[in-house]
Amino acid sequence: FFQAEDGIRDHCVTGVQTCALPIFKYSLKMAPTYSATAIETVFRQIFEQQNIYDFAGQSVTGSAWVKSSKSQVKLRLAPLNCIGGTDSVQVINVTPGVWTKVSYTFPSYATVTGWTSNPTEWGGFFDIGFLDSTAVTTSDYLFTTGVQLEIGSVATPFERRSYGQELALCQRYFYKTDINVTLQGYATTAGKAVYANCTHPVTMRVAPTASNNFSTGTNNAGQSIATSPQGFAVNTVSAGGGNYGVTYNSGNTMYAEL
């Protein structure tokens, strides 16, 4: 999730909060950090095209629990990189300060007949937020939890998955390494190389962008990292004869978000 307001992502602060609803332990909170007039302020979930192929030609129902400082919230479902489709918005009345389940059946994908981009690119997004025409202040807030999109015209009970399933699905887009990868070698001259191949916990969406946090090397002329959807390779080159090496530190990030 992120919040988007005219392309600026730092207008609001989000965080995980405990939830008063007995069916959900946590919720996500959004609160403006400064006042603004008629500005788009939303939670936005982007989804991968190949995850929603079955949306084409179908009605899709979006649902969530919300608690808002405002008396209205908007739901928006927007198809992207497809042939046909409609960007649809629905305004829903809620009681301020009270948890409310909201839902709407969107026609957004009912006229989609094909796709125009790679399977791993954007297939669309789902917004939950304040109305674009509504001014917000630092006293405003929006909580949400139990968000779900599904084919059909009925908002069914929230689908619960195991921790292991959720973790694996998340790691397709992002994870942090949890071990040090140490390269050590002995060279008779400069320019010799040693490398290590490592596998991601799961196959990632695309070759991730890796952070580049190495320890101070010994007798090495440099180091590098190359990534693929399946794993990454770390390499270092000797600066001269003798022992040489470097460590790719634990805590580096692999980023393959949409």
Side-chain angles (χ1 to χ4, degrees):
F1 278 92
F2 71 97
Q3 58 284 343
E5 332 67 35
D6 298 338
I8 303 171
R9 297 191 184 187
D10 60 355
H11 174 68
C12 292
V13 174
T14 58
V16 176
Q17 308 285 319
T18 55
C19 182
L21 289 168
I23 53 176
F24 297 106
K25 185 175 181 179
Y26 297 110
S27 63
L28 195 63
K29 179 184 180 181
M30 177 167 60
T33 55
Y34 59 87
S35 300
T37 302
I39 191 168
E40 183 181 24
T41 309
V42 298
F43 292 114
R44 174 166 294 171
Q45 176 67 62
I46 303 164
F47 28 83
E48 197 174 338
Q49 186 180 120
Q50 62 187 350
N51 285 340
I52 58 165
Y53 281 152
D54 55 350
F55 281 13
Q58 304 288 334
S59 296
V60 177
T61 296
S63 60
W65 285 87
V66 299
K67 184 172 74 171
S68 174
S69 59
K70 301 291 189 182
S71 61
Q72 292 181 313
V73 297
K74 75 168 184 179
L75 305 182
R76 176 185 179 188
L77 184 61
L80 295 171
N81 294 320
C82 56
I83 301 168
T86 305
D87 186 344
S88 305
V89 176
Q90 178 67 19
V91 176
I92 298 177
N93 295 326
V94 296
T95 301
V98 176
W99 279 105
T100 306
K101 186 173 183 179
V102 296
S103 67
Y104 182 71
T105 299
F106 292 92
S108 305
Y109 287 88
T111 57
V112 170
T113 59
W115 304 91
T116 60
S117 187
N118 295 326
T120 56
E121 297 303 320
W122 289 31
F125 61 83
F126 182 48
D127 284 355
I128 302 172
F130 299 126
L131 275 61
D132 297 354
S133 59
T134 301
V136 295
T137 71
T138 55
S139 297
D140 285 312
Y141 59 83
L142 178 63
F143 292 85
T144 190
T145 190
V147 180
Q148 186 159 280
L149 279 177
E150 55 195 312
I151 291 173
S153 59
V154 177
T156 64
F158 184 75
E159 178 189 357
R160 297 183 181 275
R161 292 187 288 241
S162 70
Y163 176 83
Q165 288 175 301
E166 291 290 355
L167 178 61
L169 291 168
C170 290
Q171 288 174 328
R172 175 171 168 76
Y173 301 95
F174 177 88
Y175 78 96
K176 283 187 177 183
T177 61
D178 59 1
I179 59 170
N180 292 325
V181 181
T182 299
L183 305 179
Q184 293 179 325
Y186 180 85
T188 57
T189 186
K192 301 300 182 180
V194 64
Y195 64 91
N197 290 319
C198 302
T199 303
H200 302 311
V202 300
T203 299
M204 302 192 73
R205 183 183 70 89
V206 293
T209 300
S211 59
N212 202 31
N213 182 13
F214 287 85
S215 64
T216 302
T218 300
N219 188 31
N220 68 317
Q223 59 272 331
S224 63
I225 179 168
T227 68
S228 74
Q230 291 74 37
F232 63 95
V234 184
N235 175 79
T236 189
V237 177
S238 63
N243 294 317
Y244 70 103
V246 73
T247 295
Y248 187 61
N249 294 323
S250 172
N252 273 286
T253 58
M254 299 289 165
Y255 183 92
E257 292 279 6
L258 286 158

